[in-house]
Every structure is written in structure tokens, then in C-alpha cells.
């Protein structure tokens, strides 16, 4: 069995010092001790968090039922209890213990070395943005599979797109894939730069510069400054793909060595190859791609925009239009992200349920509200909107903006859920329009039962019920209360 990295490769990459002389053999990497399993040689990387010190789990991964084969540890942690760790290494002579300055950076450096080793002949694509990046990643993966085959595509593992997640994702690459497609998220300044250095993508998509994480970064300008770091390693034979209508597009592509490609509704067909045909509302979008009729099954103009970014990237890679069509038409909604379902309510009525409760920020909330507002040939519109998290000082203003938009869209019933949504509720009350709006202070089980009971009494056949909020607000708990178990994807 070949190790993902040899001992020399690992020690060089992480600038580490070995305790003892054990060999280095691992074909898995984990930062969570619970994921270390027997029979799979694993490198365990304990991390220091605000409330947790992963080093305390080192004894757990050395038990016979798990047995990590390589363990990294912070130098400061080692020095604080050197005798203990020397004894641990002596008792586990077959395990390679490596001291490093910082285990997080060592994980990233090891992943960078692994990418350099395994991905020389792979096409690497990065995807980031304030909203839409996961859907865009799934669209890109589907298109790539249509062209390169299932086994020819590596991509973000689960939702691992962070400072630790992206390194763990790239360690899943085995080297015989043709293309790797990786999502890049961020929760702090500098994170995108760190993981971009790991991947060094040849093609990079920035879906948009919005307001997600504005509470952490302070302004859209600062968000753009971070997101553009995803394009820092684009080579001269690669391309950066950015939104033509995004006001930060030119800023994000300053200094990029590769080709600059812009996507969007208004990019001429002579450049994009795309001609819009019809917005089919709940049932997606029809368009032509180089003369081929394409049906995108995902609802919403913003998902069509995501598809346009994928088309632009795929064309630069050289994927034929027929394969792009096949990939886009076969993609399915991600769980919790703009799922459109026909729901048999407990009342016996059959309504249309839109579940978009995986994440929420001002941009994505506005988009889905506007989408529902523009729907034709449906009954009443019923919204359950929960708090948008991580907005910091912008939270009150952002939630007020949601309330103002509700007065324009005029749903027949809207529930605002959570302390932050009180600002949206107040904005509705202060407006001139009479909106049937209610505010619920928290996403408790009791409150959800009340909301579901009210909606079951109020809703009729063909009504639209929208659930939208940040994942921590747990709006998905409303689904069984509204519908029982009979929910079918449209």
C-alpha cells in the first residue's frame, strides 16, 4: 500500500520534526477522532479551536479499535508536556509522531504537497462566491461527469470547503481523475488565500460578491478582497469566470494571469453561445446552447445565472455543448437548497412547498422572495422566513430590508421567526401596505407546531409555501408538521 505522502514528503511539507523513527504510512486524513477507523491507516491532525483542544483525543485514536498511523501535534503542545508525548510515542512505536508549528497550517501544507504530487495532469477548478457556490459546484460536477465519466471527476467531499475542509477534500483525490472541482468557503479574513494556495486552480468561478459574512468582514469591498484571492494562482492558460453585472468583477480579476471570462443574462449570444428561451417558474428554465435546446430543472433566475457561469467555465475547459446540455439537464436540487415539492398537507390540501433552509443571507433571501413573488398561476403565497445569521452590525438593516421587500411582494401570510426577524416584522408594520404578518420569537418546537397548525388551516390547493432561513434556525422541522411524510419533488 502506497502512502498518500512519504515520510520525507510529509516532513518537508509541514516543516516537521519526528518523535522516534517509525515509518510513515497513511491513506486517510482526519481532524475528528471519531472518524478514525480500524483497517485504514490514518493521519490524525488535532486542531486547536476556541473551545476545544484536539490534542486531548490523541489517546483515543491510538486504541486498538482505531489506531492512527501518523499523528501531528503542535510544538507548543508538545513542549508543555514533553515527557507525556515522548512516553506515548515510545508505547506506540509503530506510529509516526510529528511536531509542527501549527497543526492547521501543517494540514494545509501537507494537502498542498499532495495536490502538487497527484494533480499534475488534472484540470483543477475552484468555485467561491457569497451565494450559489454549492449549487454551482453541483452543476459543474454534473457537466464534468457527463464529459469525463463518473470516475473521472473529483470534487468537494460533502460540505468540506473551509480552511480544514478543502484540505480534507483534496486528500480524497486518487490521481487518476481528469478534473477536480472544489468549493471554497470562508469564515474569516485570510481563509480563501490559504486554501487557494493548497489548490492552485487553473479555472476559477466567483458566483457573486454579496453580503454573506459581512458581519465578519465588514463590507462588500472586504468580501471582494478575500474572494479574489481564489483567482491568485490562475495560470496564463487558465481562466477566471466572473459575473458581467457584478460591480466587483473587474476588481476581483485585477492582476489575473489567465483569460477573463464574464457570464450573465446580458452577455451576447455571440460570446456566450446561450440564448434565453423561457422562464418556466417552478419548473426551471429553457434556453438554447449553441443551437441545442436545454432545460435546466432548477427553479429561479439565480440558478439560471449559476448555470451560465458553469457553461462559461466548461467552454473554456473544452467540454462540448452536448455534454454541457446532458450535465445541466441531469442535475437535481440539493437537499435544503431551493427544493420544490408537491406537498400533501395534513389538512388534505395539496400545496407547493419550497424548502430553502440550508443557508440564508440578504442576497439569497431577496432572490427567493422575488422568485416567489413573480410566480404565476399559483394560489396564495405563504412565507416562513427565519433569521439570517452572521450579519453582525449589518443585521438590523438587512432584516429591515427583507420587511420592506415583503411589503412589495405582498404574500397572503408571512411568519417572521427569530429575534433578528423582529426588525423585518417592524418594517412591515410601519409600511403603508396591510400585510398579514406575524412574528415568532424563536424556532422552538412549540412555535413550529403553532405555525404548522395555522398554515394547515389557511392553505388551499396550489398555494405556495416558502421556508427560508439560516440552517441553525431549523426550518426543516416544519416539513413533517405541515405534511407528514408525503412530499414529492416536482
Amino acid at each position: 500500500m502506497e502512502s498518500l505522502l512519504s515520510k520525507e514528503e510529509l516532513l518537508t511539507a509541514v516543516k516537521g520534526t519526528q518523535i522516534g523513527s517509525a515509518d510513515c504510512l497513511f491513506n486517510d486524513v482526519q481532524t475528528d477522532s471519531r472518524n478514525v477507523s480500524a483497517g485504514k491507516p490514518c493521519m490524525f491532525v488535532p486542531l486547536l479551536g476556541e473551545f476545544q483542544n484536539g490534542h486531548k483525543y490523541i489517546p483515543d485514536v491510538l486504541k486498538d479499535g482505531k489506531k492512527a498511523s501518523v499523528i501531528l501535534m503542535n510544538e507548543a503542545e508538545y513542549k508543555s508536556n514533553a515527557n507525556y508525548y515522548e512516553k506515548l510515542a515510545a508505547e506506540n512505536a509503530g506510529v509516526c509522531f510529528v511536531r509542527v508549528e501549527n497543526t492547521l497550517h501543517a494540514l494545509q501544507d501537507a494537502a498542498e504537497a499532495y495536490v502538487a504530487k497527484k494533480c499534475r495532469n488534472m484540470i483543477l477548478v475552484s468555485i467561491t462566491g457569497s451565494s450559489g457556490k454549492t449549487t454551482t459546484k453541483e452543476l459543474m460536477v454534473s457537466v464534468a461527469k457527463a464529459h469525463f465519466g463518473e470516475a473521472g471527476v473529483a470534487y468537494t467531499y460533502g460540505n468540506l470547503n473551509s480552511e480544514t475542509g478543502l484540505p480534507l477534500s483534496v486528500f480524497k483525490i486518487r490521481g487518476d481523475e481528469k478534473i477536480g472541482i472544489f468549493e471554497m468557503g470562508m469564515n474569516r479574513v485570510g481563509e480563501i488565500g490559504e486554501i487557494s494556495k493548497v489548490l492552485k486552480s487553473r479555472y476559477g468561478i466567483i458566483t457573486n460578491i454579496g453580503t454573506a459574512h459581512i458581519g465578519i468582514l465588514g463590507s462588500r469591498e472586504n468580501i471582494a478582497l478575500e474572494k479574489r484571492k481564489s483567482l491568485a494562482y490562475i495560470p496564463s492558460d487558465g481562466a477566471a469566470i466572473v459575473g458581467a453585472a457584478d460591480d466587483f468583477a473587474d476588481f476581483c480579476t485585477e492582476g489575473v494571469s489567465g483569460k477573463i471570462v464574464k457570464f450573465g443574462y446580458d452577455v451576447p449570444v455571440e460570446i456566450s453561445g446561450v440564448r434565453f428561451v423561457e422562464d418556466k417558474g417552478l419548473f426551471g428554465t429553457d434556453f438554447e446552447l449553441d443551437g441545442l435546446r436545454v432545460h435546466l430543472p432548477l427553479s429561479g433566475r439565480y440558478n439560471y445565472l449559476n448555470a451560465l457561469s458553469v457553461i462559461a467555465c466548461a467552454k473554456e475547459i473544452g467540454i462540448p455543448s452536448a455534454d454541457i446540455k446532458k450535465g445541466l439537464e441531469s442535475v437535481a436540487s440539493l437537499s435544503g437548497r431551493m427544493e420544490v415539492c408537491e406537498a400533501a398537507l395534513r389538512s388534505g390540501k395539496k400545496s407547493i412547498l419550497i424548502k430553502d433552509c440550508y443557508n440564508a443571507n440578504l442576497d439569497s433571501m431577496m432572490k427567493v422572495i422575488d422568485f416567489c413573488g413573480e410566480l404565476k398561476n399559483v394560489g396564495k403565497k405563504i412565507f416562513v422566513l427565519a433569521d439570517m445569521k452572521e450579519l453582525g452590525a449589518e443585521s438590523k438593516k438587512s432584516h429591515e430590508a427583507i420587511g420592506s421587500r415583503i411589503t412589495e411582494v405582498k404574500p397572503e401570510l408571512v411568519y417572521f421567526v427569530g429575534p433578528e426577524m423582529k426588525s423585518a416584522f417592524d418594517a412591515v408594520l410601519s409600511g403603508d401596505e396591510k400585510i398579514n404578518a406575524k412574528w415568532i420569537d424563536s424556532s422552538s418546537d412549540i412555535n413550529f407546531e403553532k405555525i404548522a397548525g395555522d398554515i394547515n388551516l389557511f392553505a388551499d390547493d396550489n398555494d405556495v409555501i416558502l421556508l427560508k432561513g439560516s440552517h441553525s434556525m431549523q426550518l426543516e422541522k416544519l416539513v413533517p408538521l405541515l405534511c407528514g411524510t408525503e412530499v414529492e419533488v416536482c
Side-chain angles (χ1 to χ4, degrees):
M1 180 187 298
E2 182 185 357
S3 184
L4 296 182
L5 292 171
S6 69
K7 184 195 293 189
E8 182 180 353
E9 289 169 337
L10 177 64
L11 292 176
T12 299
V14 303
K15 301 178 180 64
T17 302
Q18 185 177 7
I19 304 173
S21 58
D23 198 6
C24 169
L25 174 64
F26 66 100
N27 62 11
D28 187 31
V29 181
Q30 297 292 342
T31 58
D32 187 332
S33 62
R34 294 168 295 184
N35 294 333
V36 177
S37 58
K40 183 183 280 189
C42 176
M43 180 168 75
F44 177 60
V45 185
L47 301 173
L48 286 173
E50 187 177 355
F51 305 108
Q52 191 74 276
N53 183 348
H55 292 80
K56 74 178 184 179
Y57 297 106
I58 290 176
D60 289 348
V61 303
L62 292 172
K63 293 175 181 176
D64 289 338
K66 294 193 173 183
K67 209 67 176 177
S69 56
V70 180
I71 294 176
L72 304 188
M73 67 177 67
N74 277 347
E75 185 70 31
E77 178 72 21
Y78 168 79
K79 287 181 177 178
S80 70
N81 203 351
N83 290 337
Y84 167 74
Y85 286 112
E86 291 286 352
K87 183 173 182 291
L88 205 60
E91 291 171 349
N92 296 272
V95 178
C96 179
F97 288 81
V98 179
R99 295 152 43 192
V100 298
E101 185 67 27
N102 179 296
T103 49
L104 170 61
H105 294 157
L107 171 66
Q108 294 169 345
D109 291 342
E112 180 184 356
Y114 184 70
V115 169
K117 175 182 179 180
K118 284 288 185 180
C119 303
R120 292 191 188 94
N121 299 318
M122 282 179 64
I123 300 164
L124 294 177
V125 179
S126 65
I127 299 171
T128 192
S130 294
S131 60
K133 55 184 173 291
T134 301
T135 300
T136 302
K137 182 257 296 181
E138 291 298 319
L139 288 165
M140 190 71 225
V141 168
S142 187
V143 167
K145 285 181 177 179
H147 181 63
F148 295 105
E150 189 85 22
V153 186
Y155 50 94
T156 297
Y157 188 74
N159 62 350
L160 297 178
N161 64 4
S162 64
E163 59 187 2
T164 57
L166 183 128
L168 293 177
S169 281
V170 301
F171 274 120
K172 302 293 182 183
I173 294 170
R174 289 298 171 259
D176 53 355
E177 301 93 340
K178 303 298 183 184
I179 187 170
I181 301 161
F182 294 94
E183 184 181 334
M184 293 183 176
M186 69 172 182
N187 286 297
R188 62 172 175 81
V189 173
E191 188 169 3
I192 290 285
E194 291 173 12
I195 57 181
S196 295
K197 182 173 178 287
V198 170
L199 192 64
K200 297 184 176 68
S201 61
R202 181 174 169 187
Y203 300 91
I205 298 173
I206 297 180
T207 60
N208 50 55
I209 301 298
T211 57
H213 306 306
I214 200 166
I216 299 169
L217 296 171
S219 68
R220 289 183 67 231
E221 288 79 3
N222 288 341
I223 292 169
L225 192 61
E226 289 300 309
K227 293 295 187 183
R228 77 174 188 170
K229 293 176 183 177
S230 68
L231 309 178
Y233 297 93
I234 301 293
S236 57
D237 62 347
I241 295 94
V242 294
D246 198 302
D247 49 344
F248 284 97
D250 292 338
F251 175 75
C252 285
T253 53
E254 282 179 4
V256 170
S257 298
K259 184 178 178 181
I260 310 302
V261 179
K262 293 186 177 179
F263 66 91
Y265 308 126
D266 299 324
V267 175
V269 65
E270 295 79 19
I271 296 174
S272 68
V274 178
R275 185 179 69 83
F276 173 80
V277 175
E278 182 184 4
D279 182 348
K280 301 181 78 69
L282 290 166
F283 304 101
T285 303
D286 285 353
F287 61 93
E288 288 184 358
L289 172 61
D290 297 329
L292 298 173
R293 184 72 172 244
V294 182
H295 173 68
L296 178 70
L298 303 186
S299 309
R301 279 174 58 82
Y302 49 95
N303 278 325
Y304 174 52
L305 189 62
N306 292 333
L308 292 178
S309 73
V310 168
I311 291 168
C313 185
K315 280 175 163 281
E316 289 301 316
I317 291 170
I319 298 176
S321 299
D323 289 341
I324 298 174
K325 167 184 163 70
K326 180 181 176 182
L328 293 179
E329 290 188 333
S330 63
V331 78
S333 290
L334 295 168
S335 179
R337 300 175 191 266
M338 194 58 183
E339 291 182 88
V340 180
C341 314
E342 185 177 80
L345 301 182
R346 289 185 181 273
S347 65
K349 303 295 185 181
K350 287 196 171 182
S351 296
I352 298 160
L353 180 64
I354 299 176
K355 297 185 291 178
D356 197 345
C357 37
Y358 185 84
N359 203 356
N361 54 58
L362 182 58
D363 306 305
S364 64
M365 185 77 80
M366 288 292 200
K367 286 173 181 174
V368 75
I369 289 171
D370 288 346
F371 168 73
C372 290
E374 293 165 3
L375 288 175
K376 307 290 191 254
N377 303 315
V378 297
K380 299 189 298 293
K381 294 168 183 177
I382 303 165
F383 297 171
V384 183
L385 308 177
D387 285 352
M388 302 178 290
K389 299 297 187 181
E390 298 182 349
L391 297 182
E394 296 290 318
S395 183
K396 187 174 188 297
K397 184 170 70 175
S398 295
H399 285 85
E400 286 174 347
I402 295 300
S404 297
R405 184 60 58 88
I406 289 297
T407 63
E408 298 169 6
V409 173
K410 303 182 185 66
E412 279 74 14
L413 174 63
V414 57
Y415 279 92
F416 296 106
V417 182
E420 302 295 333
M421 274 294 172
K422 180 64 162 58
S423 297
F425 177 67
D426 291 341
V428 169
L429 292 187
S430 64
D432 295 332
E433 298 292 336
K434 296 296 183 184
I435 305 291
N436 186 4
K438 301 179 182 182
W439 174 63
I440 304 293
D441 63 355
S442 68
S443 54
S444 67
D445 290 346
I446 292 175
N447 285 336
F448 280 160
E449 287 172 7
K450 173 177 170 42
I451 293 170
D454 289 352
I455 291 175
N456 267 294
L457 289 173
F458 184 77
D460 290 312
D461 289 335
N462 204 38
D463 286 356
V464 173
I465 303 170
L466 167 66
L467 309 180
K468 176 67 177 177
S470 286
H471 188 55
S472 61
M473 297 303 290
Q474 299 182 299
L475 284 184
E476 67 276 5
K477 286 184 174 182
L478 273 171
V479 176
L481 298 175
L482 287 167
C483 317
T485 58
E486 191 180 339
V487 179
E488 297 181 359
V489 176
C490 293

